Amino acid sequence: MLRYFFIRLGQSLALMFGVLLLVFMMLRVTGDPAALMLPREASAAEIEAFRERMGFNRPIIVQFVDFLSKAVVGDFGESLHFRTPAMTLVTQRLPATVELAATGLLFAVLIGVPIGMIGGLKPGSAVDSLARLLALLGQSIPNFWLAMLMILFFGVRLRWFPTFGRGAWNSVIMPAFVLGLPVMGQIVRLTRSTVLEIRSEDFVRTAYSKGLEPPVIYLKHILRNASIPIISVIGVQFGYMLGGSIYIETIFAWPGMGQLLQLAIGWRDFPLVQAIAIFTSTVVIALNLLTDLVYAIIDPRIRYGL
Amino acid sequence: MKAKLLGLLAVVLAVSMIVVGCAPAPTPQVVEKVVKETVVVEKPVEKTVVVEKQVVVTPTPGKPQPKGTLRFALSGEPNSLYIPATADKNADIAASQLYDPLVFQDDDGTIVPALAESWEVSKDGTEYIFHLRKGVTFHNGEPFTADDVIATWKYGMGEGSAWPDRYSIAKSVEKIDDYTVRVTTDGPKPLLLVTMHDFWSIIPNEYMEEVGLDGFQKHPIGTGPFMFVEWVKGDHITYQANPNYWREGQPRVEKVIFRFITESSTRVAALTADEIDLTKRLTAEEADQLLSVPGVKVIQYPVARIFYIAFNNLTTGKGLPTEDAKVRQAMNYAVDVDAILKSLFGGAGKRAAGFVASSELGYGVVKPFPYDPEKAKQLLAEAGYPNGFEIDMACPTGAYSHFEEVCQAVAGYLGKVGIKVNLEFMESAHYWDLEAKKELPPLFGDSWADESGEAYNRLKGALGGWDAPYSSWSDPKIDELLDAISKEVDQAKRKALYEELQVYMQENPPFIYLYEPYTFEAMRDRVMDYHPRASEMCYLNKVWLAMPE
């Protein structure tokens, strides 16, 4: 177990290093950062002074080592647009993004698991058709399109939910639903196929033959066993939802990290882009690592298979 | 199985249709109006009620109380409300409502008194004496005096300022007495007053010393019509009316909330759902869509920005046919800009007559080049290129609305008169990097805005030879005229210089002149006395709401 832990940790750290290198290089390959970051009216002297101040005139290796040593302690420099430490801005926006992702995940689980379960228990039924339709739609509808459609229908026409922003109790519903829909689709599909598989296992048949009530069998025997892959999917998806909500947050004017990233790219605020990209990558990598470790604890075949 | 799936789909469809059918139809407002009118006709006694309503709708003479909340959607979050640090138009709009400058530029471009009641300029144009308004207080009650003007100037050049040049335009700012200030420059600076209007928003000296720059950024204070209440990061900024504002009867709304909505289609939805009152920067299509929404007004106006195809005579354009003025004229005649505007922008743009925008000083002396391909061919033949020539051109992607298509259309029109254009598209960040290094091809497209009401910064920026980072052109005559403009304090004489320059730039065009774009804004029809400017700036001190809550 300890060996597996160290191997996975090593892999994650290597991946993290790759992310840092990539993010650092991205800034340098798009052109002279000093000229890009300053306003168009800046004179040649102002550009030179900025280059000096930001350290862009040093050898690239020196710049990278400096960047790396600061990144390790969470220092990604100052946002050029807001003139505040980039990491502070990221942490300010984190609660909104976590709220959105958590609510989205809640929708995905609360709707996805029961539908997937019924679909798996009663293949060919109407609910099963709905489950398969939901799985298909959830994973194929472009979320920005769905977001606009929901705004027009539920926001503008019915006036059930605010069209944008965060604050009112119901403001999270539309963006969270749109964000959670692809995950919902995935959970429905996974639950359905796992339940289909488990319901024909020997221990389920035994449970039936013992005369147990079907609800007890569904919850205690089938759902419990099916929950292992579902939990691992939830762990990984939560990480992606934290980092991947850029369109949703932008469309719904949700004040989270995704919206900030979109704005930072527009402002060419590279320190801020770096901070957000590295922060979300770290969260995704960490959640993946955690999921793998939990999985390895639950299912020993994984660590021995390595 | 298939039948079941189809059946389910049919159910889903039917349910959706019922839900759609249940949704309120967009007509009840009409019914409401009819009922109101009926009440008035049936019960003439209630006429008083109607009169009361009319009183609310019409601005009362004398001293109206500020009423209602104006909800203003910005296309992005301001970076700061401290004017020396504001980075874009959203920040300028939000910040400017908190402060007053010494002098104010009116909607028609005239400089009028603000915190300075009057001023005198020395004969050589290097010394300005400002007489300050008495009895004005900042939002915290601190009185406004000469010390605040000096502090504003010093802070503007100091740490935390993104625009130190806008303050160092003055060599010194001295106090003569508490209400008189002397501003000295090291030569005539015709744009000093305009710069003061744009940037020198007066901040309180004592408060600034007390809380420091960080403290000021958290709770900015000025003498302006609105007072800062809160800034919820990523979401909104709230202001409330300044009850002690020195301009009589202003402001006229009690509260202003700036919401940050990046996506323009969301702004359209929010306006339609009556969640916001006013929004800027919509596309022509969105404006068109809003025209049919009841209770919404749409406005359009040309922005002080010129789109152009630049010629390079500094680096990549050396020794090419485009060094001949006749060839450059021919290329201007060859492009049908009106057709481009019509097909790509639905006519929402104005053909550029030169490099001076229609809202700027000295505009109107030259007419745009007409579309005349025959004349173009004739000029090319006269220049010695009867069969045309081949040339490289570049265009940025993702930078401006429909600009890729504009570049393609220009290349197509040039092809029709025999000029084969090899068009290359580049990612905009990379593009501007190359433009700054003067490494773009001999022809390239771009645009330049200016907010000062004059074209000087745009002209200097794009035609300043090696001295200007984004310039690709050098012409001694243009340099001479620009130098003269930069030193001429007399507005009428400066106008004449702009006119002379435009005539010269018509005969010796350094660009293919394209267009001034229109911008679209929309608002609920209760928003009154809102006047945006060609710079896309707006001041909310006179705005009022016809139906306060």
Side-chain angles (χ1 to χ4, degrees):
Chain A
M1 181 64 201
L2 212 60
R3 180 171 163 263
Y4 175 76
F5 171 77
F6 280 117
I7 290 174
R8 281 296 288 113
L9 187 69
Q11 284 170 342
S12 297
L13 288 175
L15 193 60
M16 214 40 245
F17 179 79
V19 168
L20 285 167
L21 184 67
L22 199 73
V23 168
F24 174 82
M25 288 312 290
M26 255 169 23
L27 171 59
R28 271 75 191 171
V29 294
T30 50
D32 179 0
L36 292 177
M37 289 172 183
L38 286 182
R40 219 172 139 83
E41 292 80 8
S43 64
E46 281 171 323
I47 292 178
E48 197 42 56
F50 180 80
R51 205 175 275 141
E52 177 91 18
R53 185 158 63 84
M54 299 293 285
F56 290 136
N57 50 358
R58 296 172 302 168
I60 197 139
I61 292 289
V62 178
Q63 287 184 51
F64 183 63
V65 172
D66 184 46
F67 167 74
L68 211 59
S69 57
K70 284 182 176 160
V72 170
V73 292
D75 176 6
F76 294 95
E78 244 185 27
S79 151
L80 299 171
H81 187 74
F82 289 107
R83 306 223 170 181
T84 347
M87 222 23 167
T88 312
L89 290 166
V90 174
T91 47
Q92 269 172 359
R93 301 294 189 106
L94 190 62
T97 298
V98 171
E99 181 190 330
L100 184 63
T103 318
L105 200 64
L106 200 69
F107 276 140
V109 174
L110 289 183
I111 303 173
V113 171
I115 291 182
M117 179 122 179
I118 300 172
L121 290 170
K122 302 206 183 314
S125 67
V127 179
D128 186 35
S129 304
L130 177 72
R132 285 191 292 165
L133 187 72
L134 200 65
L136 184 74
L137 291 181
Q139 294 191 296
S140 55
I141 288 183
N143 53 10
F144 60 90
W145 178 78
L146 180 68
M148 286 317 304
L149 219 63
M150 287 187 75
I151 288 176
L152 289 178
F153 188 72
F154 295 108
V156 176
R157 201 172 160 81
L158 298 179
R159 311 250 169 126
W160 286 358
F161 306 109
T163 53
F164 72 98
R166 179 188 183 218
W169 68 271
N170 56 356
S171 59
V172 72
I173 293 179
M174 285 204 290
F177 181 81
V178 178
L179 184 66
L181 193 68
V183 185
M184 193 189 294
Q186 203 182 355
I187 288 180
V188 166
R189 215 177 50 179
L190 189 72
T191 314
R192 184 183 173 274
S193 60
T194 317
V195 168
L196 255 179
E197 201 182 305
I198 295 174
R199 67 194 271 273
S200 52
E201 295 268 343
D202 288 344
F203 69 90
V204 177
R205 262 204 301 274
T206 313
Y208 273 114
S209 63
K210 280 197 294 185
L212 286 178
E213 288 295 315
V216 179
I217 299 172
Y218 296 160
L219 291 177
K220 274 190 85 174
H221 294 266
I222 298 181
L223 185 62
R224 205 165 162 187
N225 280 287
S227 63
I228 299 169
I230 298 172
I231 288 168
S232 73
V233 162
I234 290 171
V236 175
Q237 286 300 331
F238 188 64
Y240 285 116
M241 282 165 96
L242 282 181
S245 56
I246 180 161
Y247 298 120
I248 309 297
E249 289 191 1
T250 302
I251 292 176
F252 287 99
W254 188 262
M257 282 191 304
Q259 188 207 42
L260 187 66
L261 178 62
Q262 190 260 349
L263 290 169
I265 293 168
W267 294 321
R268 294 188 254 158
D269 191 338
F270 285 98
L272 192 51
V273 174
Q274 281 179 343
I276 301 172
I278 291 166
F279 181 84
T280 46
S281 311
T282 312
V283 171
V284 170
I285 292 172
L287 281 172
N288 266 309
L289 175 67
L290 203 71
T291 313
D292 280 358
L293 294 179
V294 170
Y295 215 81
I297 293 167
I298 298 171
D299 189 347
R301 283 173 299 181
I302 288 170
R303 55 181 189 252
Y304 296 127
L306 194 84
Chain B
M1 188 52 235
K2 263 188 182 171
K4 274 188 181 172
L5 192 65
L6 281 174
L8 182 73
L9 271 174
V11 171
V12 170
L13 206 65
V15 170
S16 339
M17 284 169 83
I18 292 165
V19 173
V20 176
C22 290
T27 46
Q29 285 185 333
V30 178
V31 176
E32 265 182 30
K33 275 186 183 171
V34 171
V35 171
K36 274 183 189 168
E37 282 176 14
T38 318
V39 169
V40 174
V41 173
E42 282 179 2
K43 295 180 182 176
V45 189
E46 284 188 24
K47 264 185 183 169
T48 43
V49 178
V50 178
V51 172
E52 268 178 23
K53 275 188 181 172
Q54 279 173 350
V55 171
V56 176
V57 173
T58 321
T60 38
K63 206 176 177 185
Q65 284 300 308
K67 275 181 186 149
T69 300
L70 179 76
R71 301 158 304 171
F72 194 138
L74 296 173
S75 61
E77 181 166 10
N79 66 318
S80 172
L81 296 175
Y82 174 58
I83 296 271
T86 53
D88 60 11
K89 194 57 66 191
N90 288 316
D92 283 344
I93 291 171
S96 295
Q97 319 303 332
L98 296 173
Y99 312 97
D100 286 303
L102 288 186
V103 294
F104 188 71
Q105 191 175 24
D106 246 344
D107 287 340
D108 64 359
T110 321
I111 295 287
V112 295
L115 288 183
E117 279 181 315
S118 62
W119 57 93
E120 296 113 41
V121 190
S122 67
K123 271 193 178 161
D124 64 354
T126 61
E127 196 180 287
Y128 292 68
I129 308 281
F130 291 95
H131 302 282
L132 309 182
R133 195 175 291 277
K134 289 174 186 156
V136 176
T137 53
F138 287 96
H139 301 152
N140 61 347
E142 192 180 314
F144 158 68
T145 66
D147 292 330
D148 304 310
V149 182
I150 296 167
T152 301
W153 173 65
K154 282 187 177 158
Y155 279 109
M157 288 185 297
E159 193 68 22
S161 173
W163 309 97
D165 292 358
R166 304 302 195 277
Y167 298 84
S168 60
I169 186 171
K171 196 173 70 183
S172 69
V173 179
E174 300 153 277
K175 172 177 171 175
I176 297 175
D177 61 48
D178 271 358
Y179 293 97
T180 318
V181 165
R182 181 190 293 116
V183 175
T184 330
T185 59
D186 57 5
K189 303 281 179 192
L191 293 180
L192 176 74
L193 294 180
V194 173
T195 308
M196 286 178 126
H197 153 76
D198 274 341
F199 288 90
W200 291 36
S201 291
I202 305 301
I203 51 170
N205 177 35
E206 278 177 32
Y207 176 72
M208 195 70 170
E209 275 179 7
E210 198 182 301
V211 298
L213 188 53
D214 278 349
F216 188 86
Q217 298 251 31
K218 283 186 187 123
H219 195 108
I221 277 175
T223 60
F226 293 97
M227 308 194 294
F228 177 84
V229 176
E230 63 165 358
W231 182 346
V232 177
K233 296 284 174 187
D235 199 61
H236 69 269
I237 292 172
T238 309
Y239 292 164
Q240 79 181 61
N242 175 4
N244 305 315
Y245 192 49
W246 57 272
R247 280 191 175 106
E248 199 62 30
Q250 294 178 15
R252 297 155 85 181
V253 287
E254 198 184 0
K255 217 166 155 189
V256 176
I257 301 177
F258 290 103
R259 304 299 305 254
F260 322 134
I261 312 177
T262 330
E263 182 61 36
S264 64
S265 45
T266 309
R267 293 200 297 278
V268 168
L271 187 76
T272 311
D274 202 4
E275 288 178 54
I276 56 168
D277 295 303
L278 178 60
T279 187
K280 296 171 93 75
R281 294 197 176 172
L282 301 174
T283 63
E285 293 83 6
E286 286 160 346
D288 203 39
Q289 179 193 332
L290 280 169
L291 282 175
S292 58
V293 177
V296 170
K297 289 192 282 203
V298 175
I299 51 170
Q300 67 167 46
Y301 55 89
V303 182
R305 177 182 280 277
I306 307 267
F307 280 84
Y308 58 92
I309 304 291
F311 295 111
N312 182 321
N313 75 351
L314 289 176
T315 55
T316 52
K318 270 188 177 298
L320 297 186
T322 45
E323 284 198 325
D324 188 327
K326 275 191 179 166
V327 171
R328 300 197 304 274
Q329 280 180 20
M331 289 166 86
N332 269 289
Y333 281 114
V335 180
D336 189 351
V337 179
D338 285 327
I340 292 176
L341 283 172
K342 203 172 164 195
S343 58
L344 290 172
F345 300 92
K350 188 170 185 172
R351 185 166 188 168
F355 220 49
V356 172
S358 56
S359 56
E360 292 169 340
L361 188 70
Y363 174 82
V365 69
V366 289
K367 292 227 161 3
F369 281 94
Y371 174 53
D372 191 343
E374 289 313 312
K375 175 111 181 180
K377 282 181 195 164
Q378 183 202 325
L379 283 166
L380 282 175
E382 281 174 26
Y385 305 98
N387 300 317
F389 54 89
E390 195 171 333
I391 194 162
D392 292 340
M393 174 171 153
C395 182
T397 56
Y400 310 111
S401 166
H402 294 308
F403 198 55
E404 294 89 334
E405 290 99 315
V406 170
C407 289
Q408 276 172 328
V410 170
Y413 279 116
L414 293 177
K416 282 187 184 168
V417 297
I419 301 170
K420 185 176 182 293
V421 174
N422 305 313
L423 182 58
E424 189 186 352
F425 290 101
M426 295 175 196
E427 191 276 321
S428 55
H430 177 56
Y431 189 86
W432 285 314
D433 183 37
L434 291 183
E435 191 175 338
K437 290 178 187 156
K438 312 203 191 304
E439 286 174 8
L440 282 178
L443 279 187
F444 63 90
D446 211 332
S447 87
W448 204 294
D450 202 289
E451 304 168 2
S452 60
E454 291 196 23
Y456 178 77
N457 290 330
R458 179 189 305 121
L459 285 158
K460 183 74 186 166
L463 299 168
W466 288 100
D467 296 340
Y470 289 89
S471 149
S472 60
W473 191 258
S474 179
D475 180 325
K477 174 78 178 168
I478 293 177
D479 290 347
E480 189 190 306
L481 282 165
L482 284 178
D483 191 46
I485 292 172
S486 76
K487 288 179 182 153
E488 183 53 67
V489 189
D490 186 305
Q491 187 151 326
K493 288 182 185 158
R494 220 160 55 244
K495 180 169 178 270
L497 286 169
Y498 279 120
E499 287 172 348
E500 188 183 345
L501 180 60
Q502 286 178 88
V503 172
Y504 180 79
M505 281 173 62
Q506 182 93 345
E507 287 157 10
N508 298 276
F511 311 107
I512 300 175
Y513 303 111
L514 296 176
Y515 52 89
E516 289 176 51
Y518 282 170
T519 189
F520 294 90
E521 301 186 359
M523 66 199 86
R524 302 300 305 185
D525 56 10
R526 60 176 164 271
V527 179
M528 301 289 164
D529 278 342
Y530 168 75
H531 301 290
R533 300 182 173 192
S535 63
E536 290 188 82
M537 192 60 196
C538 61
Y539 297 91
L540 304 174
N541 48 319
K542 289 182 191 164
V543 172
W544 56 286
L545 297 168
M547 287 174 287
E549 297 123 42

